[in-house]
Amino acid sequence: MCVQARWSLLGFIPGAFAGCAAYFGTTFDAAGTCLALIVGACLGWLSEYTAGLLTTAKKDQEPVPVADTQPVA
């Protein structure tokens, strides 16, 4: 894992450990590991995309006016 980190594409060490753990967790099933990593990456992208949409929607909202709280005499 440390040798592969020399290449910028594979340089994310926590990702290498996650891939290794997924490979061992699927009892050395390469297809299952690839599927798990692809689904995880898609869910991560979807989470980031929806967070961006929610942030943009929140910024576009008009501020709610605060009611005057002084008593009327």
Side-chain angles (χ1 to χ4, degrees), residues 8-32:
S8 62
L9 181 64
L10 302 173
F12 186 61
I13 297 292
F17 278 101
C20 184
Y23 187 62
F24 289 144
T26 58
T27 60
F28 308 105
D29 178 24

Side-chain angles (χ1 to χ4, degrees), residues 6 13 15 17 21 25 36 40 62 68-69:
R6 298 168 93 182
I13 297 292
F17 278 101
E62 292 292 323
D68 190 14
T69 57

Side-chain angles (χ1 to χ4, degrees), residues 2-65:
C2 293
V3 172
Q4 77 169 11
R6 298 168 93 182
W7 295 296
S8 62
L9 181 64
L10 302 173
F12 186 61
I13 297 292
F17 278 101
C20 184
Y23 187 62
F24 289 144
T26 58
T27 60
F28 308 105
D29 178 24
T33 302
C34 289
L35 179 64
L37 293 175
I38 290 170
V39 168
C42 290
L43 289 174
W45 176 83
L46 182 65
S47 174
E48 184 176 352
Y49 179 74
T50 54
L53 288 177
L54 291 173
T55 302
T56 304
K58 178 118 176 125
K59 287 180 182 178
D60 291 343
Q61 288 180 345
E62 292 292 323
V64 178

